Amino acid sequence: MTNPNDPILKSWVPVPPHSDFPIQNLPFGIFRTADTSPRAGVAIGDSIVDLAALAERGFFKDLNLPSSVFNSSTLNDFFALGKKTIRNVRERISQLLRHDNNELSSHESVKSILISQKVATLLLPVRVPNYTDFYSSEEHATNVGSMFRDPKNALLPNWKHLPVGYHGRASSIVVSGTPIRRPRGQVKMGEEPPVFCASHKLDFEVEMAFITCSETPLGHPIHTHETEDHIAGFALFNDWSARDIQQWEYVPLGPFLGKNFGSTLSPWIVTMDALEPFRVEGPSQNPHVLPYLSYDGKKNFDIVMEALIQPEGVEASVVCRTNFKYMYWNVNQQLAHHTVNGCNIQVGDVYASGTISGPSPGSFGSLLELSWNGQKSLHMADGTERTFLHDGDTVTLHAYAERDGVRIGFGACSGKILPSL
Amino acid sequence: MTNPNDPILKSWVPVPPHSDFPIQNLPFGIFRTADTSPRAGVAIGDSIVDLAALAERGFFKDLNLPSSVFNSSTLNDFFALGKKTIRNVRERISQLLRHDNNELSSHESVKSILISQKVATLLLPVRVPNYTDFYSSEEHATNVGSMFRDPKNALLPNWKHLPVGYHGRASSIVVSGTPIRRPRGQVKMGEEPPVFCASHKLDFEVEMAFITCSETPLGHPIHTHETEDHIAGFALFNDWSARDIQQWEYVPLGPFLGKNFGSTLSPWIVTMDALEPFRVEGPSQNPHVLPYLSYDGKKNFDIVMEALIQPEGVEASVVCRTNFKYMYWNVNQQLAHHTVNGCNIQVGDVYASGTISGPSPGSFGSLLELSWNGQKSLHMADGTERTFLHDGDTVTLHAYAERDGVRIGFGACSGKILPSL
């Protein structure tokens, strides 16, 4: 079998230049059309391959998949088959889509199997049993610590010893395109008693999330050398944050209503396999980590990430350009840490990176940092300025890894701010 | 229809004196036996009424329930029918179990419908999509603040303005009886670098949890006068805590591995309806709360709660006796606060109270407080002492409301500590 990541591979499905979805990507998602119930699909170019239809017509018969595993409103049952099966399915789809393979291209049903993305609605790709948010970018933690504590001791003492994380709200994770209502809540200004009002410091956070494909028993840690067996792939994640609500509520038990009004996940899960060519070394870790957090090999990924703000009726402006490779703690360390106490994982869990900021101001992954808590303004295409988000603004995250003319992209992770009720 | 809470009601099913489960209670749970698949049941005395069997034989035919709603490994689909249906089912069961009703008692299948609890295994009653833990006992928050910060300013500034809470891990919630493995993790002692070891400050927390029975859309707050429509009932909750792991990790984003290795839920969900006779006023709230947290009526419940520690092979000792009525923030305020920013709720969500401590030392709801962070020892029946939990210890929580000879009990919420791996 040819390596499905080989940059010379071409598909008989047209793939526009700079598409996020060449044959080397093949991310999984859930879609429906006017004519079909929700089902699993794979993106290629501007199309979606209907996996339920492929399975019905016997294209996966050598893989012994459970019948109708793709005929589902989530990818959970498919992911539960495990990393090896996900890999086999991706490789089989790669084979079917190659320019020199006509099994599918010449099949009588090809037109009903290959759907235009224009007529499809993309749904949340997984049911999310658990959601954890890490805090793994040194630059982000340093920026926040400098702003709210002491620039000379910006990182808290535990930060370089463990990947700090916290549990988030699974119920309010929505798919890209879902509008986000500006939250109301308690805000404390100065010495006055707290007031109840709409948040006036609404922010985005540029994050990457990994999604798990296995269920482990309680009490069984996952070691760093095993973690990748449990990770299906990655998606973009916008951890919308109401900074004013968060600041008043978060001591001592962490973020709560400042976060759980909504988080946006991109609809396509890019497999870890598709990202293999983009592995890079992570930052060196000093002090040395405890043995359970040590790892071998390249565990970071060189993925450009961007955030754009589009005021209503105006062109979008890029406000942040960062990279997933900046992460101080990698996903192997995150999952090993999360489970070292015996905490169990489930299929479809979302583990987000925390805001990914880079070293330069233009690479900061949140408005909190970009505006330095409201002190600097960002300029929009219509001449208006932003410190935090306005009603009507649409925030879109993009990300892609690119080499040898091949771009492994993530599609859009987008949400528009609605005024508070 | 007679009031199912009437203390004069008797059942034809034998109910031993001081049973947690008289005809006035009728809590819901999930059980299986050697002969049956998991299914819904209601506890009465030492028996369980098999609801799936009742439904199959037409006993609920006037209620128009979906077929096989009780033939399930969780109560979620039943609870999703809503508070009114849950109430109607409980009232119908009350009717069938009354001493003067022979519909069921004289039915030819009565022996297969009424199962002895001895032959049943109780399972986790709900699939838990989301779990939130509050911090709503003033005495507990004051004790913790006194120990770790300043006794003169023990409560943080936000504490009396909002019910502080955080998201916990849903995957590691287990049913009573499941052993808990002592977690390992990072611990920082003095000025030395952190070490990786088994927790030596393993603790329990006496909590009460409410479970929701509806799904709300994102962006729609639940007001305090509506919250009870969304609450099916209550169960006991032990939020096991590794204090040493927690102390090192929890700044600034809250508890994580110090908590998520396991939490224990009791198997019977006592309906809010069964607790109606035990409503009491809560503590007066000063300063006045913001309007969205105001409420009318009695929203606290007079429920005695106890914690017992049983070393291996030794008699159990009561180490804590507290009361749910001490809660500063009531469940209506908790749910109104949780959703005021638009956060949505789902069926089966677990919302735990936080440790419930009372005013006297014997009413403190955790070993952290009872031993004052290890400074005082508790004496066990075999002469050994405890500051925190030992391997082999079994912790059991009990709770009951009692009046007019009727005891609405919760059954046991129990877990035994296994040594770390």
Side-chain angles (χ1 to χ4, degrees), chain A residues 22 31 42 58 123 149 157 190 201 214 232 235 273 305 329 334 366 400 404 406:
Chain A
F31 74 100
V42 152
L123 307 177
R149 286 181 299 268
K201 288 191 173 180
S214 63
D273 288 342
M305 304 179 75
W329 296 103
Q334 289 170 339
S366 67
Y400 56 88
D404 301 326
V406 172

Side-chain angles (χ1 to χ4, degrees), chain B residues 127-277:
Chain B
R127 181 179 63 74
V128 182
N130 306 278
Y131 153 46
T132 292
D133 195 26
F134 286 95
Y135 187 56
S136 289
S137 153
E138 181 175 0
E139 290 80 0
H140 171 67
T142 303
N143 286 337
V144 173
S146 298
M147 249 179 275
F148 294 114
R149 287 182 299 269
D150 174 7
K152 285 178 195 158
N153 293 292
L155 289 183
L156 286 163
N158 58 13
W159 200 90
K160 289 214 163 177
H161 293 281
L162 55 84
V164 170
Y166 67 101
H167 300 117
R169 180 80 179 179
S171 71
S172 52
I173 296 177
V174 296
V175 72
S176 176
T178 309
I180 297 291
R181 178 77 63 187
R182 180 181 296 272
R184 298 192 301 167
Q186 281 196 35
V187 173
K188 179 91 157 73
M189 286 173 282
E191 294 305 305
E192 298 300 307
V195 295
F196 180 72
C197 62
S199 169
H200 53 270
K201 287 191 172 179
L202 187 54
D203 200 356
F204 63 81
E205 292 192 337
V206 177
E207 303 199 14
M208 184 69 80
F210 69 84
I211 287 99
T212 44
C213 56
S214 63
E215 182 145 345
T216 57
L218 197 60
H220 291 257
I222 302 172
H223 298 286
T224 50
H225 63 270
E226 306 166 327
T227 46
E228 296 190 359
D229 297 341
H230 300 273
I231 298 175
F234 293 89
L236 285 166
F237 193 78
N238 182 346
D239 179 25
W240 304 94
S241 299
R243 301 297 178 189
D244 38 10
I245 295 172
Q246 185 182 346
Q247 193 172 357
W248 171 232
E249 75 177 357
Y250 90 105
V251 176
L253 300 179
F256 189 49
L257 301 194
K259 299 276 194 179
N260 67 16
F261 57 91
S263 315
T264 304
L265 190 72
S266 59
W268 294 110
I269 298 178
V270 174
T271 62
M272 208 170 201
D273 287 343
L275 294 167
E276 278 302 320

Side-chain angles (χ1 to χ4, degrees), chain A residues 99-397:
Chain A
H99 73 283
D100 55 0
N101 181 307
N102 68 359
E103 284 180 82
L104 176 57
S105 62
S106 66
H107 192 278
E108 58 179 4
S109 301
V110 63
K111 284 192 179 161
S112 65
I113 292 172
L114 207 66
I115 315 284
S116 165
Q117 287 182 28
K118 281 183 197 142
V119 302
T121 303
L122 297 170
L123 307 177
L124 193 67
V126 282
R127 181 179 62 76
V128 182
N130 305 278
Y131 152 47
T132 292
D133 195 26
F134 286 95
Y135 187 56
S136 288
S137 153
E138 181 175 359
E139 290 80 0
H140 171 67
T142 303
N143 286 338
V144 173
S146 298
M147 247 178 274
F148 293 114
R149 286 181 299 268
D150 174 8
K152 287 179 191 156
N153 293 292
L155 290 183
L156 287 163
N158 59 12
W159 200 92
K160 289 215 164 177
H161 292 282
L162 55 84
V164 169
Y166 66 101
H167 300 118
R169 181 79 179 182
S171 72
S172 52
I173 295 178
V174 295
V175 72
S176 176
T178 310
I180 297 292
R181 178 76 63 187
R182 180 181 296 271
R184 298 194 300 167
Q186 280 196 36
V187 173
K188 178 92 159 74
M189 287 173 282
E191 295 304 305
E192 297 302 306
V195 295
F196 180 72
C197 62
S199 169
H200 52 269
K201 288 191 173 180
L202 187 54
D203 199 357
F204 63 81
E205 293 192 337
V206 177
E207 304 200 15
M208 183 69 81
F210 69 85
I211 287 101
T212 45
C213 56
S214 63
E215 181 144 345
T216 58
L218 196 61
H220 292 256
I222 302 172
H223 299 286
T224 50
H225 63 271
E226 307 165 326
T227 45
E228 296 190 0
D229 297 341
H230 301 273
I231 298 175
F234 293 89
L236 284 167
F237 193 78
N238 183 346
D239 179 24
W240 304 95
S241 299
R243 301 298 178 190
D244 38 8
I245 295 172
Q246 185 182 346
Q247 193 173 357
W248 170 232
E249 74 176 359
Y250 91 105
V251 177
L253 299 180
F256 189 49
L257 301 195
K259 300 277 195 178
N260 66 17
F261 57 92
S263 314
T264 304
L265 190 71
S266 60
W268 294 111
I269 298 178
V270 175
T271 61
M272 208 170 201
D273 288 342
L275 294 167
E276 279 301 320
F278 304 95
R279 286 181 181 271
V280 291
E281 302 278 355
S284 72
Q285 296 185 320
N286 185 14
H288 283 305
V289 297
L290 282 163
Y292 83 92
L293 290 170
S294 67
Y295 64 93
D296 293 319
K298 296 177 176 175
K299 300 299 182 189
N300 278 41
F301 294 90
D302 182 0
I303 303 172
V304 173
M305 304 179 75
E306 292 176 340
L308 297 89
I309 299 178
Q310 179 173 30
E312 207 151 21
V314 179
E315 202 184 328
S317 298
V318 175
V319 295
C320 159
R321 192 179 163 89
T322 183
N323 197 303
F324 189 40
K325 72 182 177 188
Y326 294 136
M327 299 283 289
Y328 187 87
W329 296 103
N330 62 54
V331 297
N332 301 61
Q333 294 179 308
Q334 289 170 339
L335 194 54
H337 180 66
H338 202 313
T339 61
V340 76
N341 67 344
C343 181
N344 56 333
I345 68 168
Q346 295 178 311
V347 175
D349 286 352
V350 167
Y351 299 85
S353 56
T355 309
I356 301 169
S357 293
S360 67
S363 66
F364 295 168
S366 67
L367 285 173
L368 177 69
E369 296 161 88
L370 290 164
S371 79
W372 211 254
N373 198 18
Q375 295 179 49
K376 296 186 228 176
S377 291
L378 282 73
H379 300 277
M380 299 289 104
D382 61 351
T384 59
E385 300 190 332
R386 293 291 181 281
T387 50
F388 291 97
L389 295 171
H390 291 191
D391 291 344
D393 286 353
T394 297
V395 177
T396 302
L397 312 184

